Amino acid sequence: MSAKVITVVVAARPNFMKAGPVASALEEAFEVDLVHTGQHYDRRLSGAFLEDLGMADPALNLGVGSGSHAEQTGGVLIAFEKYLLDRKPSAVLVVGDVNSTLAAALAAAKVGIPVGHVEAGLRSGDWTMPEEINRVLTDRLSCWLFTPSADADVNLRAEGIADDRIHLVGNVMIDTLRSLLPEARERFDDVAGRLGVAGGDFGLLTLHRPATVDVPAELARALDGVGRVSAALPFLFPVHPRTTARMASAGLALPAGIIAVEPVRYLDFLSLMDRASLVITDSGGMQEETSVLGVPCLTMRPTTERPITVELGTNRLIPADPDAIAAAAAEALAQEWTAAVIPLWDGRAAERIAAILREQFDSGPSRERGLCS
Ligand code: UD1
């Protein structure tokens, strides 16, 4: 009998570190189709990540590209449905919370193919974030909800999701971090030399969310706040294309000590995060990575869908206010930090997902149907 096909969907930069370990764990028992929606298409945000993670080239790229939320979501919905009708995989796995995650889950659910959501159950409670809408709806469409932490299980139960669909497996992005950290560390001297922070302490800054960068006055305040810190501690700032465009149209210049660089590939970025004295960000995943690395992280957002990084990790939420940023940075830099120990963030989350799916498919089609009804 030939192996069942499971399709793993990737779309945007943060997806690759989550999908990589899952695709490779599934390969032992299934035929895996990697499908790229094309939401991110720059080499710096896509191809370089596949290379660093040792992932195969996607079997198919839907080529959806940039656009409004409706254009991006609609584009994936239409193109992915065609693929599903032709290929008829036994299941589709989606990761994270980007527009393509929701679109692929919706296309699969509508044609009756069971969906698994990796990184299910995270909630910021902030319905103005496009990612929050994507998370809630993707979870509702999914048969298998693979959660990274117990708070996610609580969120899902509160939304009425049955227990037998919720699987606490741990954090797949931390699988990738743990397996590639030794290689990243070997690169540090070279990376730091290339980016101009060799031989000294430095901070790392990333800002890309619409809520942080789309209003010029708010972005200016955020940069002004980091500027107060960078007067004494240089900050490397790999700039996302959205942020580059917003800074250019608003005519914003960077304060002294913030060094703008192109987006950085995974291994190089991990090597920098690991050695940074302080991280300031509005990213989701970096809250988790810095916690595991024991590096203090100030997250410039009013809410987080990853509260465990505040409870057990190194993460603090701060407003985009210059005084608050400077005060929080001084406090974080004065403290000693250690790597967080978070249950099941042990590098084996993808293995657990593969074992659950193997058991599921071994127990026959009636069980598969039953779960999704
Ligand atoms: C998307 C995700 C966000 C994730 C982020 C990581 C949604 C709603 N947002 O945001 O959750 O944290 O990816 O980067 O899905 N662009 C390029 N090259 C590319 C892709 C985009 O230059 O390869 C530019 C385009 O001008 C585009 C803009 O960046 O309009 C924003 O891209 P988009 O995919 O819409 O969202 P992100 O801000 O990247």
Side-chain angles (χ1 to χ4, degrees):
M1 209 177 70
S2 63
K4 286 186 186 293
V5 175
I6 294 193
T7 300
V8 177
V9 179
V10 290
R13 182 167 60 179
N15 291 165
F16 303 111
M17 309 67 126
K18 299 170 190 169
V22 175
S24 80
L26 288 174
E27 267 158 15
E28 286 171 24
F30 300 95
E31 187 179 340
V32 176
D33 260 18
L34 189 67
V35 172
H36 195 319
T37 68
Q39 177 170 340
H40 282 177
Y41 41 85
D42 272 13
R43 209 187 125 58
R44 298 166 309 165
L45 301 185
S46 176
F49 281 77
L50 291 168
E51 260 171 45
D52 276 5
L53 301 170
M55 293 171 73
D57 279 341
L60 176 69
N61 190 316
L62 306 178
V64 165
S66 299
S68 70
H69 288 281
E71 284 164 346
Q72 226 167 33
T73 312
V76 175
L77 198 51
I78 293 166
F80 193 55
E81 183 189 61
K82 289 197 177 84
Y83 157 84
L84 291 172
L85 294 174
D86 177 50
R87 181 68 162 138
K88 299 185 176 60
S90 295
V92 168
L93 289 194
V94 296
V95 300
D97 55 16
V98 302
N99 284 341
S100 300
T101 306
L102 170 60
L106 182 54
K110 284 287 185 87
V111 299
I113 296 173
V115 178
H117 184 202
V118 178
E119 202 186 69
L122 298 187
R123 299 289 183 266
S124 66
D126 178 357
W127 200 247
T128 66
M129 287 179 82
E131 293 84 358
E132 183 74 353
I133 298 173
N134 295 338
R135 291 180 198 118
V136 170
L137 297 178
T138 302
D139 285 342
R140 185 63 190 85
L141 294 164
S142 299
C143 304
W144 300 285
L145 296 150
F146 298 115
T147 59
S149 47
D151 53 286
D153 296 25
V154 172
N155 294 335
L156 292 172
R157 287 197 192 102
E159 290 173 19
I161 292 183
D163 270 353
D164 63 355
R165 287 164 60 188
I166 304 172
H167 306 274
L168 176 57
V169 292
N171 191 323
V172 290
M173 200 176 59
I174 301 305
D175 290 7
T176 298
L177 182 150
R178 292 198 188 283
S179 81
L180 292 181
L181 189 56
E183 199 178 333
R185 283 183 171 153
E186 277 174 24
R187 289 177 176 228
F188 176 72
D189 289 342
D190 173 53
V191 177
R194 248 187 301 127
L195 299 181
V197 289
D201 291 341
F202 67 95
L204 192 56
L205 171 68
T206 78
L207 301 171
H208 76 283
R209 268 175 213 288
T212 327
V213 306
D214 282 2
V215 178
E218 288 296 307
L219 177 56
R221 273 161 61 75
L223 292 172
D224 179 32
V226 182
R228 297 206 196 163
V229 191
S230 67
L233 177 73
F235 264 73
L236 265 185
F237 182 25
V239 194
H240 186 284
R242 171 192 284 278
T243 313
T244 304
R246 297 299 182 270
M247 285 181 60
S249 63
L252 288 180
L254 287 175
I258 302 184
I259 308 161
V261 294
E262 295 279 303
V264 176
R265 56 194 299 158
Y266 181 76
L267 283 169
D268 293 0
F269 195 75
L270 181 55
S271 80
L272 292 167
M273 222 175 354
D274 177 47
R275 292 284 284 270
S277 303
L278 177 65
V279 166
I280 301 182
T281 188
D282 63 354
S283 153
M286 286 169 68
Q287 301 171 42
E288 300 178 339
E289 292 166 329
T290 49
S291 286
V292 169
L293 294 168
V295 172
C297 178
L298 302 177
T299 301
M300 224 186 271
R301 286 177 40 189
T303 57
T304 179
E305 60 290 333
R306 295 162 162 92
I308 200 149
T309 61
V310 177
E311 281 158 35
L312 298 181
T314 59
N315 188 26
R316 299 286 173 273
L317 300 185
I318 53 161
D321 167 76
D323 290 339
I325 295 168
E331 195 182 308
L333 286 166
Q335 227 177 301
E336 285 292 319
W337 297 90
T338 51
V341 179
I342 300 179
L344 300 178
W345 292 23
D346 58 357
R348 306 187 60 185
E351 254 176 58
R352 294 185 194 102
I353 291 173
I356 290 163
L357 290 173
R358 232 181 6 243
E359 198 267 328
Q360 191 77 64
F361 282 98
D362 284 350
S363 54
S366 56
R367 177 128 168 79
E368 284 162 34
R369 269 202 309 276
L371 258 187
C372 305
S373 56

